[in-house]
Amino acid sequence: MRGIIFRPAVPRGVTTLLAGALLLASTALIGCASSAADSAEGTDGAARSNEGVRPHPGAPSAPAVGCPGYPAPACTGVSPGTRLTTLPLNSDGIYRVTVPGTVLDRVYIASDLLITAPNVTIRNSQIDGSVLDSYADQRYSFTIIDSTVGRADTCQTLPAIGDTDYTAIRVHVRGHGDGFRVSGDHVTIRDSYVRLCSRPGDHSDGIQTYGGGRHLTFHHNTVDQRYARDITAPIFITDPHAADVSVTDNLVMGGTYSIQVRNAKGRVVVRGNRLVDHSWVYGPVDSECAAVEWSDNTLVTIDADYRITSTVGPLRCDG
């Protein structure tokens, strides 16, 4: 099939401003298969020719089917053999979207993707840098499905995906110190796989709330932080402006304290999560137990393919 894209013309100078804003945000951190997919995949866009379409060698092995257990590299991200259209970078070394309703389907972007328009959809695609939708004090919205973000041969400090009003489904995140950043309302992340790295001085997190936001759903994801050294937590939801948070049915491993959920307002649910036994540095949990609906969380062991091999026992709330 053909890649489906819009190619708006954009002004120069975006990269410098974006990098500066993200560097400031990173510095501040030192203190520290679904119905949605089906509906998004019905979005229409503008077709282009097959010029430049090719299989991309960096595409990970991933069939476009649901995972039999917890998400893993073999069942998330862009499918093997997918023919990807390489998009020329259109704004000082990045690709920027400015047209509302843009659909990027089966594309390869060898840098960051900056979204400055509402209701953007990315699917079956590979982005080597970050996917971000906040710029110049404005916030936009997007959905990303069956796509790979980051390169396996590098480690970038900045988050792979952020910041507000986005849905991520069956995404494979790699080569980033931070996986998902949440700085606004209405974020849903599900059925995705994150393998974190770190650079000296990083504070790596699988998901982090930064600046608050309401209605966060983090469901049925795998976050592996065992290979990063400069770390905080696979689940780091501690911003006092966050509200109405649901963390359910995830498989996590690594971190100083693996599950850190505290300070959030409204209803906060931590249920059905599986934590790999003794994968942490200091302890398994740091949470406000009285303020959290905590249930059915357990310690487990896994094999190399993220399949649970045994249940060690209950994971009690602590904090």
Side-chain angles (χ1 to χ4, degrees), residues 6 9 13 20 23 101 129 167 190 238 246 255 278 295:
F6 287 105
L23 178 61
T167 296
R190 58 181 302 160
T238 63
S246 177
H278 289 103
S295 64

Side-chain angles (χ1 to χ4, degrees), residues 11-24 91-94 112 114 135:
R12 299 180 63 81
V14 174
T15 300
T16 302
L17 293 173
L18 176 62
L22 292 175
L23 178 61
L24 179 61
S91 184
D92 280 354
I94 68 169
D112 298 323
L114 175 62
Y135 176 68

Side-chain angles (χ1 to χ4, degrees), residues 90-171:
N90 62 8
S91 184
D92 280 354
I94 68 169
Y95 192 86
R96 182 179 177 187
V97 174
T98 61
V99 176
T102 292
V103 175
L104 302 178
D105 188 6
R106 306 188 186 195
V107 303
Y108 169 61
I109 298 173
S111 185
D112 298 323
L113 170 58
L114 175 62
I115 296 169
T116 55
N119 303 320
V120 172
T121 299
I122 308 108
R123 59 193 183 208
N124 309 309
S125 297
Q126 181 172 329
I127 297 93
D128 280 354
S130 298
V131 180
L132 301 171
D133 69 346
S134 297
Y135 176 68
D137 296 325
Q138 297 292 318
R139 295 179 173 184
Y140 302 92
S141 59
F142 68 95
T143 297
I144 181 167
I145 307 168
D146 296 323
S147 296
T148 301
V149 179
R151 291 171 47 179
D153 60 347
T154 62
C155 185
Q156 305 178 54
T157 294
L158 297 176
I161 298 176
D163 295 292
T164 182
D165 196 8
Y166 68 88
T167 296
I169 300 171
R170 295 186 300 275
V171 177

Side-chain angles (χ1 to χ4, degrees), residues 177-216:
D178 281 1
F180 297 95
R181 178 174 292 176
V182 180
S183 299
D185 299 341
H186 305 296
V187 172
T188 296
I189 302 158
R190 58 181 302 160
D191 305 322
S192 296
Y193 170 81
V194 182
R195 175 166 167 164
L196 298 162
C197 61
S198 68
R199 302 177 69 177
D202 283 355
H203 294 255
S204 173
D205 299 292
I207 177 173
Q208 179 179 16
T209 50
Y210 181 73
R214 300 185 66 88
H215 307 300
L216 165 62

Side-chain angles (χ1 to χ4, degrees), residues 9-316:
V10 296
R12 299 180 63 81
V14 174
T15 300
T16 302
L17 293 173
L18 176 62
L22 292 175
L23 178 61
L24 179 61
S26 297
T27 303
L29 296 179
I30 292 177
C32 56
S34 68
S35 58
D38 295 339
S39 62
E41 289 175 359
T43 307
D44 292 328
R48 68 185 298 274
S49 73
N50 279 329
E51 180 184 358
V53 177
R54 60 184 174 87
H56 192 267
S61 57
V65 296
C67 299
Y70 283 96
C75 55
T76 54
V78 63
S79 298
T82 300
R83 295 179 64 84
L84 301 178
T85 301
T86 299
L87 297 187
L89 305 181
N90 62 8
S91 184
D92 280 354
I94 68 169
Y95 192 86
R96 182 179 177 187
V97 174
T98 61
V99 176
T102 292
V103 175
L104 302 178
D105 188 6
R106 306 188 186 195
V107 303
Y108 169 61
I109 298 173
S111 185
D112 298 323
L113 170 58
L114 175 62
I115 296 169
T116 55
N119 303 320
V120 172
T121 299
I122 308 108
R123 59 193 183 208
N124 309 309
S125 297
Q126 181 172 329
I127 297 93
D128 280 354
S130 298
V131 180
L132 301 171
D133 69 346
S134 297
Y135 176 68
D137 296 325
Q138 297 292 318
R139 295 179 173 184
Y140 302 92
S141 59
F142 68 95
T143 297
I144 181 167
I145 307 168
D146 296 323
S147 296
T148 301
V149 179
R151 291 171 47 179
D153 60 347
T154 62
C155 185
Q156 305 178 54
T157 294
L158 297 176
I161 298 176
D163 295 292
T164 182
D165 196 8
Y166 68 88
T167 296
I169 300 171
R170 295 186 300 275
V171 177
H172 181 164
V173 172
R174 61 189 186 180
H176 283 270
D178 281 1
F180 297 95
R181 178 174 292 176
V182 180
S183 299
D185 299 341
H186 305 296
V187 172
T188 296
I189 302 158
R190 58 181 302 160
D191 305 322
S192 296
Y193 170 81
V194 182
R195 175 166 167 164
L196 298 162
C197 61
S198 68
R199 302 177 69 177
D202 283 355
H203 294 255
S204 173
D205 299 292
I207 177 173
Q208 179 179 16
T209 50
Y210 181 73
R214 300 185 66 88
H215 307 300
L216 165 62
T217 297
F218 193 69
H219 175 74
H220 196 247
N221 305 287
T222 298
V223 183
D224 190 344
Q225 199 175 39
R226 294 174 297 178
Y227 305 98
R229 293 186 177 182
D230 293 56
I231 57 176
T232 305
I235 297 176
F236 189 55
I237 299 173
T238 63
D239 192 286
H241 298 99
D244 300 326
V245 172
S246 177
V247 179
T248 56
D249 193 26
N250 300 287
L251 175 65
V252 300
M253 58 219 76
T256 53
Y257 293 90
S258 300
I259 300 177
Q260 299 190 44
V261 180
R262 55 172 58 252
N263 302 323
K265 307 298 190 297
R267 188 182 183 194
V268 182
V269 177
V270 181
R271 181 179 63 243
N273 299 287
R274 306 295 177 247
L275 171 59
V276 174
D277 193 29
H278 289 103
S279 61
W280 54 82
V281 177
Y282 301 130
V285 177
D286 176 25
S287 186
E288 287 180 309
C289 301
V292 173
E293 297 180 25
W294 184 281
S295 64
D296 189 33
N297 301 292
T298 58
L299 295 169
V300 299
T301 61
I302 60 172
D303 64 15
D305 295 315
Y306 298 96
R307 294 175 296 198
I308 291 177
T309 55
S310 69
T311 299
V312 177
L315 175 61
R316 292 183 293 272

